[in-house]
Amino acid sequence: MHNCIYRAPEKPETKLPILFQKIFYRGMRLPSIKNLIPGITLSIACGSCSFADSVDATLRIEAHTILERTDRHRLIGTNLSLWSRQHMIENPGFQNDIREWQPGSIRIPGGSWSNEYFWNGNGVRIGNEHAPENFNTQKRSLNGTWDIDYGDYKKGFRVHGENHALSDYHGDLDVKIQHEWINSLGSEAMVTVNVGSGSPRMAAEWVKWANRTNDYRVRYWEVGNELNGDWELGHRLPDGSTMTGEVYAQRFLQFAQAMRAEDPSIKLGGPACSDLALDFVEELIRDGGDELDFVTLHAYPVGVRTKASEQKFAAIEEMRAAVRKVHRWIEKYQAPRKDEIEIGISEWNLKVNEDRDTADLINGIWSALWIGALFEEGIDFANQWDLSTFVKEGGHSAFYMDEATGVIVPKSQYWALWMWGNLMGDQLVKSKIKGHQQIRSFVTRSEAGLQVMLINTSEDHPLTLEIQNPGTSDSAQLHTFSGAEYFWDPHAHKPLWSRPPSIEALTLNKRIRITLPKFSISVLDLPFEPTHQPKALPEPPTVQPNLELLLPARAAADQAIEGWIVAHDPEKEIPYLKHSDPIQLSIQGPATLSTQTVVLQNAAAPFRIDPTGPGTLTIHGKSSAFSTWQKIELVALQERALTYWTFDNPIDEWNAKSTFELGSESSIRPNQYVAAARLSKALPARDADLLFHFEPLPRDELPFENASGVIGKLRAAHKLECADPKARINIILQSDANHWMPIGSIPLRVINGAWQSFAFTVKEPDLLDAMSKLYAVRFQIQADAPITGDIYLDDLGFIFRTGL
């Protein structure tokens, strides 16, 4: 992969024959350039610079004022999960990508699995396969614990449920493979031990095996994962109560005592809280005492319904507020150790739902800004989530992976982390930017010089920046990552091109003025001392241009279609950036175009198709030199209702729960059972308003990728009492792509004593997309007065759009 990449020569020999040459490189920096004159204002004579009288922003750098110091590689760590494919981590190209990324730490064994996984299966595993016959189930006691023989090592195993029953899948990897792979890359492992279904002894045995038996030299050990969340095994305690911060802190101390007995030099921390609400963090700092070496948080700050890019970037401020609160708690409860206790973010990504944002260019831009904010706030370490969690729409993985071909390609987030690891320094210096708010900057210093990261968060406009008095040489290098380097195909769900940042060698004069491409990350490398000029660089590869329409082959006739036209070399996977002619678009068939003329920027231009009915479309794109066309079949979809719950089976098979008494009633419909929620002077309140809640949903049985709504029947008892005439039942869908989707509401008075059928559908494209990831259906009772009586539900199911 990456056929377009050229490496800089190792030994510079001759001076550049022109002011700059644009190249693409990977894994190697060009040598710095000579003759610096400190203390003056500089300018650039190059194709990326603007000499207009006005600029959008100015940046002043105080190169000798150091604000923060860190090992920046600790801020660009990642997570390796047990479900990662072994053939992926053994791929030489993938390993080389990780080495070039240079993550300071790699966290294992993998998110929520940390509380479900028994790291050593010796004495329980009979073979390496996942089948039940390969496990000695007699090693499981009645209280759910497993008798492990720590005298030797075998691949671990995963459990689920409060009875700690064997799962049907235990991952492609085991912790031995994880440890050895991480060490082979020159990174450090960070281990999250099992608090949810494990024990202090089990954690201590891992410390002993890793650091004494195998010399893996694991320093950082995190106690449990997101135990504040009801989705985590271990959140619900054996007595039926739920985990609290106080209980967690006590568990932490028990684990710490056992683990330090095996290796007193290790560092221990937690609570790995699920979000920036900081559950359990204050209690751990208060009660953890000298055993606490670091505090960990998780952060996915962009809300699932956040659409505007500026709001996505603004969500980074939530991290700043949370971290400052943690610092205050450390100052309050552990003042003598305030400089010793570290703060880390052991999981982070743009958002918790895996959608196009997590794969598109925005995640690279966002991540570059996020790492800079971590640096500014004094975060000690951070671990991106993750290397291999991939779904069709994009996923959290820093890589795109094609299971069929074995192709592994870095996504935009990878390149942002790569730029921080390869192009920036470890000392954050004071700087101030004035002007356009969509330009963000971070300036670092190293022994070689200054590194200025400039981020243009505008999706539509290039912006011009002037840098005042950096006090460096008359030459520099400019590294740029933008749409010219990365493009995500929204229909093929993969990168159309993914390349390292481009680089320009610059000659500086009296001032630095740079035009930043729209939606881009740039790093200006300003060396302090003169060095040898690099020899002439190879020309970029010859591009065989091809104009291509990116559209689906089939689409619904009632939804707008996102289209793109691109100029690129599909075999070399590189864009053709020289195409500047306007492209004329035309369409034949039952649809209209949002525009008839587009101009490519970074080799791509978007447009929209609005269908007017079913049929066949032919779309043409034509410029002075190239042309292309594509057909789309527009399908009139039909809606089909399918009942799933008739409630004639036992209650424990419904996957249902209720705030109120949940029952099965046979006297309401002849020869049938229905679900019943029994209320007695109940006043619904937040977190106490669930009539019925169905989770998990039968994802393996129903085609939720085509779901568009919910059907069912509701009825209230004749004698139902409620003084609120506006009392109602709200029907809410929950999806990994949108955790709160209200789709309908039924007043109680309508169903009082009579069955009311309902069929609620969604029409908005974003909500239709979210339906494929449904995980729950919630019936919420809303009233301002107490309710007494039964409410019944029957024939619950889903509506599906068919035809595609």
Side-chain angles (χ1 to χ4, degrees):
M1 68 186 191
H2 305 315
N3 297 326
C4 61
I5 294 161
Y6 285 84
R7 296 186 181 274
E10 296 183 1
K11 295 181 180 180
E13 296 176 1
T14 61
K15 187 174 181 178
L16 282 173
I18 56 177
L19 290 178
F20 74 94
Q21 288 196 15
K22 188 167 185 176
I23 66 162
F24 303 99
Y25 74 108
R26 183 179 191 196
M28 184 178 296
R29 297 174 61 184
L30 288 177
S32 300
I33 309 174
K34 286 201 170 198
N35 298 327
L36 310 182
I37 306 174
I40 65 169
T41 303
L42 308 175
S43 77
I44 299 175
C46 77
S48 291
C49 309
S50 169
F51 294 99
D53 292 335
S54 63
V55 294
D56 295 299
T58 59
L59 176 66
R60 181 171 293 275
I61 302 169
E62 297 182 23
H64 299 291
T65 304
I66 308 299
L67 301 179
E68 294 285 345
R69 289 180 170 85
T70 192
D71 175 356
R72 68 188 183 281
H73 297 288
R74 296 189 70 202
L75 297 181
I76 57 172
T78 188
N79 282 260
L80 173 67
S81 306
L82 288 161
W83 57 81
S84 299
R85 303 296 191 192
Q86 186 161 346
H87 68 79
M88 179 194 80
I89 71 167
E90 291 175 349
N91 182 293
F94 178 73
Q95 292 184 11
N96 189 59
D97 286 335
I98 303 298
R99 288 190 178 94
E100 291 185 5
W101 172 352
Q102 304 174 68
S105 69
I106 301 179
R107 177 174 174 255
I108 59 173
S112 295
W113 277 37
S114 302
N115 289 322
E116 303 168 359
Y117 193 74
F118 283 63
W119 70 271
N120 191 341
N122 192 44
V124 174
R125 266 194 184 267
I126 300 170
N128 288 328
E129 301 303 319
H130 297 321
E133 59 267 24
N134 288 312
F135 295 87
N136 182 357
T137 55
Q138 294 181 354
K139 293 291 185 176
R140 178 178 171 273
S141 65
L142 293 177
N143 65 3
T145 60
W146 288 81
D147 183 16
I148 309 297
D149 176 7
Y150 293 106
D152 202 353
Y153 173 80
K154 275 194 176 179
K155 290 175 64 173
F157 60 94
R158 181 184 171 217
V159 302
H160 65 85
E162 295 177 17
N163 63 352
H164 301 175
L166 279 173
S167 173
D168 59 357
Y169 178 58
H170 306 275
D172 272 26
L173 308 182
D174 66 284
V175 301
K176 187 174 189 292
I177 291 175
Q178 287 182 318
H179 278 294
E180 292 178 350
W181 186 78
I182 292 168
N183 283 5
S184 74
L185 298 174
S187 295
E188 293 188 12
M190 175 182 177
V191 172
T192 306
V193 297
N194 184 342
V195 176
S197 57
S199 65
R201 187 206 168 194
M202 187 168 108
E205 290 287 353
W206 195 343
V207 173
K208 177 182 177 181
W209 175 80
N211 286 357
R212 292 170 55 188
T213 304
N214 288 294
D215 194 31
Y216 290 143
R217 302 179 301 281
V218 181
R219 293 186 302 155
Y220 283 78
W221 296 79
E222 188 178 43
V223 179
N225 178 81
E226 296 188 0
L227 286 159
N228 63 300
D230 60 7
W231 55 86
E232 288 288 329
L233 184 56
H235 175 73
R236 185 169 297 278
L237 302 175
D239 63 2
S241 63
T242 56
M243 181 74 75
T244 65
E246 289 79 8
V247 172
Y248 171 80
Q250 291 305 308
R251 296 297 305 277
F252 175 87
L253 291 172
Q254 294 166 7
F255 273 70
Q257 182 179 9
M259 295 167 72
R260 287 199 200 278
E262 296 296 342
D263 185 349
S265 70
I266 61 175
K267 291 182 178 290
L268 291 166
C273 58
S274 62
D275 54 44
L276 297 174
L278 304 179
D279 290 344
F280 300 3
V281 173
E282 182 177 13
E283 295 91 337
L284 178 61
I285 295 171
R286 182 191 66 205
D287 301 341
D290 291 345
E291 297 291 358
L292 181 65
D293 297 308
F294 61 88
V295 175
T296 50
L297 332 169
H298 291 174
Y300 300 87
V302 175
V304 296
R305 284 180 276 184
T306 304
K307 302 302 179 186
S309 293
E310 59 268 22
Q311 294 177 351
K312 296 170 186 176
F313 291 118
I316 292 175
E317 297 305 307
E318 297 177 22
M319 177 275 295
R320 296 184 189 271
V323 169
R324 291 169 189 177
K325 185 180 289 187
V326 175
H327 279 298
R328 290 196 295 271
W329 284 334
I330 294 173
E331 179 73 36
K332 178 179 179 180
Y333 299 114
Q334 298 253 23
R337 303 182 63 233
K338 66 179 182 180
D339 295 328
E340 300 174 21
I341 297 176
E342 296 182 323
I343 300 175
I345 301 182
S346 55
E347 281 184 29
W348 68 265
N349 212 306
L350 173 81
K351 56 172 67 170
V352 70
N353 54 308
E354 300 177 84
D355 59 16
R356 179 173 168 180
D357 276 350
T358 58
D360 218 334
L361 180 60
I362 189 172
N363 205 9
I365 310 299
W366 191 94
S367 297
L369 190 58
W370 171 262
I371 296 296
L374 298 183
F375 205 155
E376 288 181 333
E377 294 302 323
I379 293 293
D380 294 285
F381 61 88
N383 298 77
Q384 172 265 359
W385 181 266
D386 69 340
L387 285 179
S388 64
T389 303
F390 180 76
V391 297
K392 182 182 73 171
E393 294 82 359
H396 286 139
S397 171
F399 295 85
Y400 162 78
M401 292 159 287
D402 189 322
E403 285 282 352
T405 64
V407 169
I408 303 173
V409 181
K411 287 161 40 186
S412 67
Q413 188 179 62
Y414 170 90
W415 292 116
L417 299 173
W418 184 96
M419 291 179 80
W420 269 103
N422 287 271
L423 303 179
M424 299 297 283
D426 289 339
Q427 300 176 35
L428 187 70
V429 305
K430 186 176 181 179
S431 63
K432 186 174 183 179
I433 194 165
K434 291 183 179 181
H436 207 293
Q437 294 183 350
Q438 289 184 295
I439 300 179
R440 314 289 181 86
S441 65
F442 305 98
V443 183
T444 62
R445 178 180 178 133
S446 67
E447 293 183 359
L450 297 178
Q451 302 82 34
V452 184
M453 179 173 284
L454 304 167
I455 301 170
N456 182 357
T457 64
S458 171
E459 294 181 273
D460 303 312
H461 303 292
L463 298 172
T464 302
L465 175 81
E466 184 172 280
I467 302 178
Q468 300 177 356
N469 297 326
T472 56
S473 84
D474 59 358
S475 298
Q477 297 169 9
L478 181 66
H479 315 258
T480 303
F481 181 78
S482 68
E485 286 70 43
Y486 184 84
F487 183 86
W488 177 261
D489 185 334
H491 300 296
H493 304 292
K494 64 180 182 179
L496 198 62
W497 56 78
S498 175
R499 308 185 299 160
S502 61
I503 183 171
E504 297 177 16
L506 311 177
T507 299
L508 311 181
N509 192 358
K510 293 182 179 180
R511 59 182 179 174
I512 299 179
R513 190 174 288 186
I514 303 173
T515 297
L516 307 172
K518 66 176 186 177
F519 232 37
S520 64
I521 313 166
S522 298
V523 174
L524 182 63
D525 187 1
L526 299 169
F528 287 142
E529 299 295 335
T531 60
H532 296 291
Q533 291 277 14
K535 71 179 182 181
L537 301 170
E539 291 290 338
T542 301
V543 179
Q544 298 298 324
N546 179 60
L547 206 60
E548 182 179 358
L549 286 160
L550 304 182
L551 293 164
R554 304 179 80 229
D558 61 349
Q559 298 289 328
I561 302 168
E562 176 186 0
W564 287 83
I565 188 163
V566 299
H568 71 127
D569 186 326
E571 291 188 4
K572 297 180 180 178
E573 298 180 350
I574 53 178
Y576 181 60
L577 299 173
K578 296 180 181 180
H579 193 294
S580 58
D581 292 347
I583 297 173
Q584 302 301 318
L585 299 175
S586 61
I587 192 166
Q588 296 172 328
T592 60
L593 288 168
S594 61
T595 182
Q596 294 183 333
T597 304
V598 295
V599 177
L600 300 185
Q601 296 185 49
N602 291 327
F607 60 94
R608 187 184 72 252
I609 298 173
D610 294 302
T612 57
T616 299
L617 298 181
T618 303
I619 302 94
H620 290 269
K622 185 176 182 179
S623 68
S624 61
F626 305 102
S627 64
T628 185
W629 64 275
Q630 184 174 330
K631 288 184 178 292
I632 302 178
E633 182 183 355
L634 296 178
V635 181
L637 300 186
Q638 303 295 318
E639 291 191 332
R640 177 174 64 95
L642 178 65
T643 299
Y644 186 81
W645 288 272
T646 61
F647 305 108
D648 293 311
N649 53 334
I651 293 177
D652 60 5
E653 297 179 5
W654 297 351
N655 287 332
K657 61 182 179 180
S658 175
T659 297
F660 315 101
E661 180 186 349
L662 183 63
S664 178
E665 181 58 57
S666 61
S667 64
I668 304 304
R669 303 189 73 180
N671 303 315
Q672 295 183 45
Y673 285 87
V674 300
R678 300 188 167 100
L679 291 72
S680 179
K681 298 180 180 180
L683 183 62
R686 182 175 180 179
D687 298 327
D689 57 5
L690 282 180
L691 274 179
F692 308 99
H693 180 87
F694 297 89
E695 183 182 0
L697 299 182
R699 297 180 60 86
D700 295 336
E701 302 176 45
L702 299 179
F704 282 105
E705 64 275 9
N706 299 321
S708 62
V710 175
I711 60 167
K713 297 182 177 72
L714 280 167
R715 176 179 173 175
H718 285 285
K719 297 181 180 180
L720 186 81
E721 299 175 5
C722 182
D724 180 5
K726 297 181 179 179
R728 62 185 52 248
I729 298 170
N730 301 317
I731 301 175
I732 298 156
L733 302 180
Q734 295 183 277
S735 161
D736 285 330
N738 191 331
H739 295 286
W740 196 261
M741 298 190 294
I743 66 167
S745 185
I746 300 176
L748 279 187
R749 56 181 169 77
V750 172
I751 64 172
N752 198 357
W755 284 104
Q756 178 70 39
S757 296
F758 61 85
F760 295 114
T761 59
V762 298
K763 300 297 184 183
E764 299 87 344
D766 289 346
L767 295 183
L768 281 172
D769 289 343
M771 296 292 284
S772 65
K773 298 182 179 180
L774 285 183
Y775 63 80
V777 179
R778 177 186 291 252
F779 291 79
Q780 178 194 53
I781 185 73
Q782 181 180 350
D784 292 332
I787 305 172
T788 297
D790 293 355
I791 299 176
Y792 309 112
L793 174 66
D794 199 13
D795 294 342
L796 177 64
F798 300 95
I799 301 170
F800 299 96
R801 287 157 55 92
T802 63
L804 278 180

